Amino acid sequence: MPVTDAFATLRDLLGCPQSAPAGLPFGGGAIGFLGYDLMRADFGLATRPGLDDWPDIAVGLYDWAVVVDHLRRH
């Protein structure tokens, strides 16, 4: 799946942006990771045998989450 398709799909799944509740850093949305190889297909780069077992993108959609700010200790 090209990167643009991955991000378009994620945008479609998330819907319209909504503000987090007052004073909270996260009020729901996507949490996960984007792999370094996400851009590989868009640039026509070859796959790497044995190293392409990881997903290019892995996110979960959450209505809420426990978020800790270690710097501010909150």
Side-chain angles (χ1 to χ4, degrees):
M1 170 184 310
V3 172
T4 52
D5 291 348
F7 289 124
T9 300
L10 189 55
R11 269 192 301 276
D12 290 344
L13 290 170
L14 288 171
C16 295
Q18 297 180 4
S19 299
L24 297 177
F26 181 80
I31 299 176
F33 74 86
L34 308 175
Y36 287 113
D37 290 335
L38 185 60
M39 300 290 288
R40 188 169 289 283
D42 280 2
F43 288 104
L45 300 173
T47 58
R48 299 175 305 167
L51 296 177
D52 290 324
D53 298 336
W54 289 83
D56 294 336
I57 182 173
V59 296
L61 303 179
Y62 301 93
D63 293 329
W64 63 274
V66 175
V67 179
V68 177
D69 184 334
H70 292 279
L71 183 63
R72 292 177 21 190
R73 298 180 185 208
H74 291 178

